[in-house]
Amino acid sequence: MNELRIMSVVGARPNFMKIAPFTRAVDNHNKQTPAGAPRIVHSLVHTGQHYDKAMSSSFFELLHIPRPDVDLEVGSGSHAWQVGQTMIRMEPLLAEWRPDWLVVVGDVNATCAGAITAKKGQIKLAHIEAGLRSFDQAMPEEINRIVTDALADLLLTYDETADANLAAMGVPPQRICRTGNVMIDTLDYCTADAARLDVNAVVNANAVEQTPGATPRKSIVPGSFAVLTLHRPSNVDSRETLAPLVQYLTEEFCKHTTLVWSLHPRTVKQLHSFGIWDSLAKCPNLIPVNPLNYLEMLCLNLNAKLMLTDSGGLQEECCVLGTPCVTLRENTERPVTLLANGGVSVLSGNQPARIREAVRQFHGFGRRPHRPPQWDGHAAERIVQAIIAHHPTA
Ligand code: UD1
């Protein structure tokens, strides 16, 4: 029988939204395989980098991702530990399963570790979300992107800037295929369900318990509040950066705007270890919430008047939804989302003076949705076709 064996690897939260539409597109292909096209035998590997329900399994459930065939249970650790352990545990798996292709997504440690192991095992490699570059090697993700793109046989990109970045590093054009943005496939798949959620129900279900004696929080008015996410080591791993940022938020920003802060586990740890947790917990207009599931975060994004974030995925979602987005970074690998390029995101770095200026810039801005070409909800279907077309026996 004409079969194509594909194994996909995911490890951390931002991977799950990207693999969900791919697994669905594979299913749909198998339900209606065109004459002469191969049936796809797909297996899914979870490296276990993210393992909490809130960081992992809730995304599998809500996005209807099949249970992973294998969980490598790598867990938390240094970069070398996560990449090394993933490679050590992937190697025998690849030797046993011998897929025709390994598919990796995004730029996390699972992406890079999967890529290296596949290529050393003579297995073809496809990279979804190839070609993104911040040109900042202080970001661990940038190193993962460079390594993965240098190895991939098929580089699936989401815009012309990504294509140009790959061309500049000498990737032959026949390996590059512009298929669009899988994150937006997931956004479109979920928007109607997220819009049915109630903002206050989402916040109340996830709010971190208030300290005894704190002023009770008021309910949130849709369209009037802001959302914050922060997890990059450059923003949360030093007290010198995080303390003034929290001071600006609690003493200035929250004086005029309610802020819902969806907390990443890394950030919670650092807030406690730097002794600044109490100052945010006491601020009546700042609502810390535990990590939200995909639909809950999308509900907040649909109803917020402003996003403050260092997440690349949220930058893209804000772009399509039109939510003004203060990006707490000095650079972005997603320039298409910037206000200057027709999107809604402004780079502010992490110093209060520039964040204040960026917030001011969005005063009275409203919503300005922008959909770059091929961010149309159908990227994963094109990706499946591209892999089939690039398979040597096709
Ligand atoms: C990883 C990705 C980053 C991505 C982010 C999204 C890399 C290099 N980084 O960073 O690109 O934007 O995920 O979240 O792959 N932890 C938990 N529960 C979990 C998982 C982690 O409490 O389920 C804790 C760990 O103890 C760890 C911290 O969160 O100390 C950070 O996790 P880690 O996997 O090191 O990287 P992220 O910062 O999440």
Side-chain angles (χ1 to χ4, degrees), residues 12-14 49-52 55 76-77 79 82 107-110 140-141 144 231-232 264-266 269:
R13 185 169 61 178
Q49 176 175 347
H50 285 176
Y51 43 83
D52 285 349
M55 299 293 286
S76 300
H79 288 278
Q82 286 181 331
D107 55 16
V108 304
N109 287 338
E141 293 83 359
N144 292 339
H231 75 288
R232 300 227 171 256
H264 187 281
R266 173 192 285 279
K269 256 186 224 170

Side-chain angles (χ1 to χ4, degrees), residues 43-77:
S43 54
L44 181 62
V45 177
H46 190 330
T47 68
Q49 176 175 347
H50 285 176
Y51 43 83
D52 285 349
K53 181 171 179 9
M55 299 293 286
S56 179
S57 59
S58 78
F59 288 81
F60 278 73
E61 285 158 26
L62 284 170
L63 302 179
H64 309 126
I65 307 170
R67 275 171 70 92
D69 297 280
V70 181
D71 186 343
L72 301 178
E73 296 183 348
V74 166
S76 300

Side-chain angles (χ1 to χ4, degrees), residues 140-370:
E141 293 83 359
E142 182 75 353
I143 297 165
N144 292 339
R145 293 178 199 124
I146 293 168
V147 170
T148 306
D149 286 343
L151 296 174
D153 299 282
L154 177 58
L155 297 103
L156 301 148
T157 62
Y158 80 36
D159 73 359
E160 59 191 10
T161 313
D163 293 4
N165 289 337
L166 295 173
M169 72 183 268
V171 176
Q174 61 273 20
R175 288 198 196 162
I176 304 170
C177 190
R178 200 186 309 162
T179 40
N181 190 343
V182 276
M183 284 288 279
I184 306 308
D185 290 14
T186 294
L187 186 78
D188 287 353
Y189 182 72
C190 293
T191 298
D193 285 343
R196 277 191 284 273
L197 298 180
D198 175 77
V199 174
N200 281 290
V202 167
V203 170
N204 293 335
N206 295 284
V208 174
E209 217 176 292
Q210 283 194 288
T211 42
T215 318
R217 294 174 186 127
K218 295 191 210 115
S219 55
I220 289 175
V221 180
S224 75
F225 66 96
V227 178
L228 168 68
T229 83
L230 207 58
H231 75 288
R232 300 227 171 256
S234 56
N235 284 337
V236 304
D237 280 3
S238 96
R239 193 181 198 288
E240 288 64 40
T241 302
L242 195 53
L245 190 53
V246 170
Q247 189 180 10
Y248 161 74
L249 295 169
T250 54
E251 294 178 12
E252 195 177 325
F253 185 88
C254 287
K255 290 271 187 281
H256 54 81
T257 308
T258 301
L259 180 64
V260 180
W261 186 346
S262 173
L263 288 159
H264 187 281
R266 173 192 285 279
T267 312
V268 174
K269 256 186 224 170
Q270 303 297 43
L271 288 165
H272 283 292
S273 73
F274 300 147
I276 42 185
W277 173 264
D278 282 353
S279 65
L280 76 92
K282 279 188 199 133
C283 177
N285 251 353
L286 195 162
I287 311 177
V289 296
N290 293 311
L292 301 172
N293 71 37
Y294 186 80
L295 291 182
E296 291 168 334
M297 181 48 106
L298 182 50
C299 165
L300 294 194
N301 198 346
L302 286 164
N303 287 285
K305 77 167 182 188
L306 185 69
M307 179 70 69
L308 300 148
T309 190
D310 61 6
S311 147
L314 276 169
Q315 259 173 268
E316 293 173 358
E317 289 163 352
C318 285
C319 181
V320 168
L321 299 176
T323 320
C325 178
V326 174
T327 300
L328 300 159
R329 292 177 52 188
E330 294 295 345
N331 50 50
T332 178
E333 60 289 331
R334 293 160 161 93
V336 69
T337 63
L338 292 175
L339 189 60
N341 298 330
V344 288
S345 158
V346 167
L347 296 173
S348 71
N350 53 24
Q351 304 295 313
R354 282 183 50 212
I355 301 171
R356 183 183 299 120
E357 190 44 44
V359 169
R360 192 174 297 138
Q361 201 176 333
F362 282 128
H363 190 72
F365 184 89
R367 272 185 182 274
R368 299 191 192 165
H370 171 62

